Amino acid sequence: MPAETIIVDSYFDGERHHEHGPYGFLIADGRITAILPAAQLALVAPPAAAPQRAAFLMPGLVDAHVHLFLDGTQLDATRRADYLKAPLDEMLAVAAHNAAATLACGITTVRDAGDRFGINHRLRAAAAERDAGLPAVRSAGLGLKRPKRYGAFMGRDVADSGEIVAAVHELAADCDDIKLILTGIIDFDAGRVAGEPQFDLESAALAVRTAHALGKRVFAHCSGTAGLDVAIAAKVDSIEHGFFMSCDRVRAMADRGIAWTPTFAPVHFQWVRPEVAGWSPQTVDNIARILGEHAENLVRADAAGVTLLCGSDAGSHGVGHGTGLLDELQWLHEAGLSVTAVLRAATGAARRHWGEPALLAAGAAFDAVLLEASPFERFGALREPIVVFRDGRRLASPLGVTTRPGATERSRTWLAEA
């Protein structure tokens, strides 16, 4: 892989913004060999070719919660249900397309949050191949759920303590993380989570202890006060979704070092496109209230020091792969997070949470995105990648990506309506 030089006006290293450029990045064999003021480049290593110049550089984005085998842009409920009976080859083709589209949006790492067909493991293996043109995949395999409860498309049933322990041991052998499907989904008509938690504190804590003893982190699909209380007391490593959070629970998460992936995108879609599900005006008001409270708790969590991860739940109804994360960044920013906090949640925080190298720094693999402009000056620049690098390799044709029609026009209104 030929060495190259990149010069940028400013960059974000995964934790903080370096404003006073220009800066030069020396790249060789897919790694950063040096970062220094651009004026010093000629003194250190005169470039063999003309440097690439751009306004802004940042680490490749991370989508911490996706379902690669699902097509979130398919809005017809019958077709979505029928797809779950499709041949495996068809699902693999859909997942590969979704992963490639994700990388083209500047997302170089995803965590797949579960599918019962093993496609996430297959994509993980494919992505590890040289020049695969796919983002790195962190795979949870199958989640744990109770029989006849929510999550059949992404989980396996465990009926008692013995099955919980056995399942965690089996999953830990080839899964990067263990997923606990702790609660059901939100009943938007009622404005609350449907049903009681699938696991009580004793069984949830058993799953966590077993996973931790095997060196695995646990992330919990969880919303609603009862489920959140179980997740926090069981000391899961991260809470996914986390709707109906509260001040006390935010403080407890901060005290216990529990991260939060708030996933605005799938609920925001329900609000911006109510006609798809046929929601009544009262239900739309419920959704706006839920989003508004979620935004308030997000800001509280940031202030309390909770580690925030950025995940779109891509593949869920109305959430496309790649573009869904860019939408999610917009919702986080409009909810009240600073640009620094949003970019940290979408780059360094997840990598640090998983124990991976988190920063653009000398010696690090060059997973990065060059942008036309700095998002600190114009947030929408995140949708305008010039070049996406994965392990130092250039993606030839990054996408110019836009949000779903109608989303931007209404995006701010739910905060005012809530």
Side-chain angles (χ1 to χ4, degrees), residues 16-37:
R16 65 188 186 94
H17 184 203
H18 300 259
E19 302 179 63
H20 305 297
Y23 297 95
F25 283 72
L26 301 181
I27 315 299
D29 297 324
R31 293 191 171 272
I32 302 170
T33 58
I35 306 171
L36 66 168

Side-chain angles (χ1 to χ4, degrees), residues 197-333:
Q198 297 196 32
F199 296 87
D200 61 16
L201 176 56
E202 181 180 359
S203 56
L206 174 63
V208 172
R209 288 196 307 273
T210 305
H212 286 177
L214 296 169
K216 299 296 180 179
R217 295 172 180 82
V218 177
F219 64 116
H221 169 111
C222 180
S223 288
T225 56
L228 289 168
D229 286 344
V230 170
I232 293 167
K235 299 181 181 179
V236 301
D237 296 284
S238 72
I239 289 173
E240 311 295 300
H241 318 306
F243 288 89
F244 308 99
M245 192 66 72
S246 68
C247 295
D248 290 346
R249 294 179 180 90
V250 162
R251 286 194 293 270
M253 289 172 67
D255 291 343
R256 290 167 172 79
I258 298 172
W260 183 16
T261 312
T263 65
F264 278 84
V267 178
H268 192 280
F269 175 77
Q270 300 295 325
W271 180 80
V272 80
R273 294 290 305 275
E275 76 281 1
V276 174
W279 297 130
S280 69
Q282 179 180 344
T283 299
V284 174
D285 288 344
N286 285 342
I287 297 171
R289 173 182 56 79
I290 291 166
L291 285 167
E293 292 173 353
H294 207 49
E296 292 173 357
N297 285 312
L298 174 73
V299 173
R300 291 186 183 112
D302 183 48
V306 173
T307 295
L308 298 174
L309 312 181
C310 194
S312 67
D313 206 5
S316 65
H317 202 198
V319 185
H321 289 270
T323 54
L325 185 74
L326 299 177
D327 289 343
E328 184 74 14
L329 300 181
Q330 185 74 36
W331 313 151
L332 295 180
H333 187 39

Side-chain angles (χ1 to χ4, degrees), residues 338-352:
S338 67
V339 178
T340 295
V342 172
L343 294 187
R344 185 182 295 127
T347 60
R351 293 182 173 100
R352 187 176 62 251

